[in-house]
Amino acid sequence: MKKLYSVFAILIIATMTLSACAPSVAAQPVAVEAEQAQVASGANWNFDYIQQVPPIMMRDALLETVGQTSEPVPYYYEEAVKLSGHSCMIVAAAWSMTRLALEELYPAGEIPVRGQILVDMPGAEDEWNIGVFGEVMTYITGASPKTGFSGSIFAGNPLTVRKNKMVYTDEPVGTAPPKMEFIFSRMDTGKSVAVSWNIALVQPPTNEKILQEPASKLTSGTATDEEAKKFIQDWNDAALFVLENAGKLDGLVTVRVAE
């Protein structure tokens, strides 16, 4: 019995490895309309844009190996917001940068494959907001630091391995945000792209210096109704600005082919 089980398991893993690693497996385009972005999560968002961002479609060899799906899976901005605990220009930038990087790595409607993507981070995990970017990028791509899934019993399929596919520097590097480049690479083709964004172009301006005083008033309960309303509106307008303008406004998000 054990022998039959072992043979059966090997056949399953071998089949999924071949299908997941084949270049043509993700070659079918999937049309995604904006109205399909709605998620029946039960969340009652005060800002509609959180549920209206079109999803990013991904294939996942691990999900397919264990028979939980055989089709591309939508990944939603709404879930990235839940993961991060809020929507802001940083979460929106991480989402948009990942989307544009994947579009460059997987052109012509090819569906990106989770577990097939490596991400080199531009600094340490606790430097600036780099770790926040990393959490959103992990959610979409599956690429994880050393805490990720090892692949364990699925060692025959490297796409099931998630750990050590997102690499941070050991020490802070001190690079200014506009010059930070996140490197996304495909394991199968070796193609890499560098993605950066320019926080200075975000409207309304919401850098840390501008936000510090009104944020302090809001959390301490000393903000007037007008001040609280303006802070909340500006906060969400900045996130929406990034989501709407990434890939359209020159310099907001930049993607280049990396060596």
Side-chain angles (χ1 to χ4, degrees), residues 119-169:
V119 184
D120 288 296
M121 305 299 279
E125 294 158 304
D126 58 352
E127 182 178 2
W128 193 58
N129 292 294
I130 293 175
V132 179
F133 279 87
E135 289 183 347
V136 176
M137 291 171 176
T138 291
Y139 162 64
I140 301 169
T141 68
S144 302
K146 59 185 179 181
T147 55
F149 182 53
S150 67
S152 58
I153 62 172
F154 306 112
N157 186 346
L159 299 186
T160 66
V161 178
R162 303 300 156 87
K163 69 182 300 183
N164 298 323
K165 289 184 175 178
M166 176 173 285
V167 181
Y168 293 88
T169 63

Side-chain angles (χ1 to χ4, degrees), residues 221-240:
T222 60
T224 65
D225 289 345
E226 184 178 347
E227 288 173 330
K229 183 178 180 180
K230 183 179 188 307
F231 176 89
I232 291 170
Q233 190 64 54
D234 286 351
W235 181 278
N236 285 279
D237 283 349
L240 181 57

Side-chain angles (χ1 to χ4, degrees), residues 76-89:
Y76 292 94
Y77 180 73
E78 177 186 27
E79 300 304 321
V81 170
K82 291 179 184 179
L83 173 68
S84 304
H86 66 307
S87 175
C88 68
M89 63 178 175

Side-chain angles (χ1 to χ4, degrees), residues 247-259:
K248 299 176 182 177
L249 177 63
D250 187 39
L252 180 60
V253 174
T254 301
V255 181
R256 68 173 183 84
V257 176
E259 296 296 332

Side-chain angles (χ1 to χ4, degrees), residues 64-75:
E64 295 176 11
T65 296
V66 295
Q68 293 170 344
T69 186
S70 56
E71 299 179 351
V73 175
Y75 286 79

